[in-house]
Every structure is written in structure tokens, then in C-alpha cells.
Amino acid sequence: MIELEGVPELIDPVMICAFEGWNDAGDAASTAVGHLDREWKGEVFAALDAEDYYDFQVNRPTVWLDGGVRKVTWPTTRLSVVRTGGDKPRDLVLVRGIEPSMRWRSFCNEILGFAHELGVEMVVVLGALLGDTPHTRPVPVSGVTSDPDLARSLDLEESRYEGPTGIVGILQESCTHAGVPAVSLWAAVPHYVSQPPNPKATLALLNRLEDLLELRIPLGELPEDARAWQLGVDQLAAEDSEVAEYVQSLEEARDTAELPEASGEAIAREFERYLRRRDGQPGPGGHASDSGVADSRDSYLRDPGSGRARPTRSTARDEPRDEPREESSDAAKAEPDGAAATGDGRPAGGAKPRGEEAGKAGRADAEDERAEDRAEGEAERARRGEAEEDKAEQGPDRDAGREPGGSDEDPADEADGNA
């Protein structure tokens, strides 16, 4: 039976767990919980019986001196409680220990017993694994849950893992079966520099935890430690050419994997986001009339002569007729990152007007094109009318001896008409 004497009534408590061992690459997860306990001055209120869960030949006790008196510290799991500050304070129940050697189901049931008695609303388990990730890039942290509803509400991944697991996976599944919402946050640690500590991975876990719980965590010296760690690994990698080449290959693979999909729809979405950030408001129906982007309904004009659709010309490729080249270059310099709008709605670098001037230029070019199309259509119809009159005047004598399906038009004229 669990007895919690001296533990006050908690405010919106969340249980945060981390265990040393297989699920704690670089000690990133256990260090994160230790950081929370230290910064918020946690008070230990319970500890699990080490005899029930640990093999002391695997996790040996340690002996230390306290004022000349020898004492023994047994490997175990301890629970402490901290209260966060801010406008909306809440309590965190911190569970920190070593992955148990045996009786995992009883171990998880005891943890869940504490969670039930304390009124815990959600359990968050921190973990870290070794991965093919470069130390020079941000540490990837994934949020995983076995609850489909929780995955949708918190924008998390639904667990699809199959294979060997540790106490983190077992505790999460135990919470799911007990009806307790549970989330796992996993940080990927570079496998070529797995020695603890890894303050950069610890910092990444705490940042992700802030986003998940919507609270502010005091980081102390952790950001400086993370920068010093990365500089130290940079120096070690620079001294070994093979390691440097391997890190570069990981960087290239990571950057390639994170590139957006190279499709027309993806490019259009990114460009629309840019326009919204620049103009401060979205265009109606995704169209912008005064920002240099042509309406998508006018992306294709129909050729009156042939009846076929053809793409419009880009106003960016055609220099403005009434503006000198030098002014266009200045306009390009004023555009952030060289991004601008062409007549068919695609981003393009180069010279072009901005804002309302760009819209006027695009509309003027479109009117000119329509006038040209109408003139070409009228000329084509007139030419075909003359050909029909010639055939009518000459009568059947001219058609005699001609092969079926023949045409009295010149092949070059026919090609011009189809064009």
C-alpha cells in the first residue's frame, strides 16, 4: 500500500520520468530530469525498494564517507515533487532512477500507483537513443504516444515501433492500458560521440518539454554547456580527416532529408506563405492581384486560332517596357532574398517591379497579349475565308484528280495556322 505523508495537494500534476541505462544515450534524459529537480529544488518523498527490482551485480551499490562515517547508496528509483512558477503554477512529479533488472511489470504498477494517488493528469517519459545524426545540426526530438486521440490533440506521432524495448516503452504501454495519458520524448544522440554528458541533447529535450507542457523552464548554464560541447566535438572532428568526412556526409544526408518536396504545389505553398508574411494578409482564394502574382485563373490563355490552351508569358522574363534596366535592378535588390513574383505565379530572382506597380505591369502585358491573340485570330479567319472563296470560284474542275483528304492550302500556311 502506498502512503504519501507530507505530500501537499498538487496543482495539475504531470509526472516526468527518466531512467539511466539502455534508454539514456549520453545520459541526456536522466540529466534533463536532474536539471528540473535542481533548478526547482525538488523534495524527495518516496523511493522504491531496491531489493525488489535491481540486480546488485549489475547495478552495484556505492560506498561513501559522510564526516568520517561510511554510508551505502543503493541503486533505486526516487520520486520528488516540484512546483513551477509563472502565472499558472503547476506541479511536476519527477521520477528518476536506473532501469530495473527484473520485475518490470511490478515496477510499472508501482509507478502508476503513485500517479493515481497524486492525481497525475499525464505521464511524460524522456529517452535518448543513438542515431546517424550530425552534432553540428539541431538535435532531433520526436514525440511518440500510443493513444490516437492524444496524438491528434498534441500533434504527436502514433507509435509504430516493433522490436526490443526498454523500461521507457514498457512504462508507456502500461500507462496506456491503465487509461493514463502517456507521451515519450526521444532525443537522437550522434553515435560517434555517445560518451556522457551530452548537454546539447539535454537542452533539446527540455525545449521540447516546454512546448509540450506550455511552461517556461529555467535553463541556467545549460545553453553555454551545449555550445562548449559542440565546440569541443568540432575540434576533435577536425583532427581526424575520416571523422570530418563522415560528419560532412551526415550533414548532407540530413539537409537533403529536410528539404521541402520539390513539387509545384509545395513551391506555391511556400510562396504564398512568403506573400502573407510580407503583406500581412492572405489573398482571397489564394490569389494576389496587387502583389505581382497573376490570378491562377489567367495562368493559361486560350489561343483563338487553334482552340488550344497555352501558358502565359512571365512578366519577370520580359523587361518592363517603360522602365530602364537600372531601375529594375534596384527593385530586385530591395526584394528580400531575391524572391519576387512572375506573371505565372512562380518565385523568381531577377529584376521586376514590386507591389501595385508589378500588378499594373502584369495586367498591361496580359491585355497586350489578348490584343495580339485577337489580331492573330482575325487574320487566320480572314485567310481561311479567302481560301473557301477560291475553292467556290474554281468549282469541281480544280478538285478533279486530287487525292481524297487533300488540301488546297500551302503546308507552311497550315502549320502557321495550327501554331
Side-chain angles (χ1 to χ4, degrees), residues 35 43 78 210 241 271:
H35 177 86
E43 297 181 2
R78 295 176 173 84
E210 280 186 328
S241 60
F271 189 51

Side-chain angles (χ1 to χ4, degrees), residues 36 60 137 173 212 214 229 234 245 269 272 289 400-401:
L36 297 176
R60 294 185 177 273
R137 297 292 186 267
E173 290 304 314
L212 180 67
E214 297 182 352
W229 176 86
D234 287 341
E245 292 178 1
R269 287 194 300 269
E272 288 176 359
S289 59

